[in-house]
Amino acid sequence: QVQLVESGGGLVQAGGSLRLSCAASGRTFSGYAMGWFRQAPGKEREFVAAISWSGAGTRYADSVKGRFTISRDNAKNTVYLQMNSLEPEDTAVYYCSAGPLLRTLSNGDINYWGQGTQVTVSS
């Protein structure tokens, strides 16, 4: 089992920045690809970003490319999502996830989910 706990969400004005963190405990963190998804009210959960177990590979949704950066620190069992130039459309609950492969995580191949953290961007 891997337990994932997100933090860093909050209220920010459009154009601002936030950094989300996801702390993992349990089984070997470094063996998993990690990702972030989000779900806005009335919408389905969607992929945001993912990173390979080594950190060498990353993937992003087109809507966040150039604004969001995913990274990980395997020594700290933590994955991060740096969000810049935030827009009201980024308002959602953000979920951390762990899966076996970077190339399939964005398609929902997920072993573990966190509980989510709320991000609200005001206009």
Side-chain angles (χ1 to χ4, degrees), residues 2 6 8 12-14 40-41 45 54 56 59 75 78 84 86 88 90 103 107 109 114 119 123:
V2 173
E6 303 95 335
V12 64
Q13 288 188 334
R45 191 174 297 190
S54 68
R59 290 190 175 186
T78 302
N84 298 329
L86 282 161
D90 296 316
R103 61 182 174 85
N107 294 324
D109 185 13
V119 171
S123 57

Side-chain angles (χ1 to χ4, degrees), residues 21-98:
S21 299
C22 173
S25 61
R27 296 186 63 183
T28 305
F29 169 76
S30 60
Y32 290 93
M34 301 295 296
W36 291 92
F37 288 72
R38 66 187 181 187
Q39 187 166 18
K43 295 186 177 181
E44 293 187 353
R45 191 174 297 190
E46 65 175 1
F47 169 73
V48 175
I51 189 166
S52 64
W53 69 269
S54 68
T58 57
R59 290 190 175 186
Y60 296 93
D62 288 344
S63 59
V64 306
K65 280 181 181 176
R67 300 188 299 123
F68 290 10
T69 302
I70 189 170
S71 61
R72 67 189 295 164
D73 185 337
N74 287 342
K76 295 182 178 180
N77 286 358
T78 302
V79 63
Y80 305 97
L81 185 68
Q82 178 66 44
M83 306 185 295
N84 298 329
S85 301
L86 282 161
E87 304 168 351
E89 293 74 22
D90 296 316
T91 295
V93 177
Y94 283 71
Y95 296 91
C96 179
S97 61

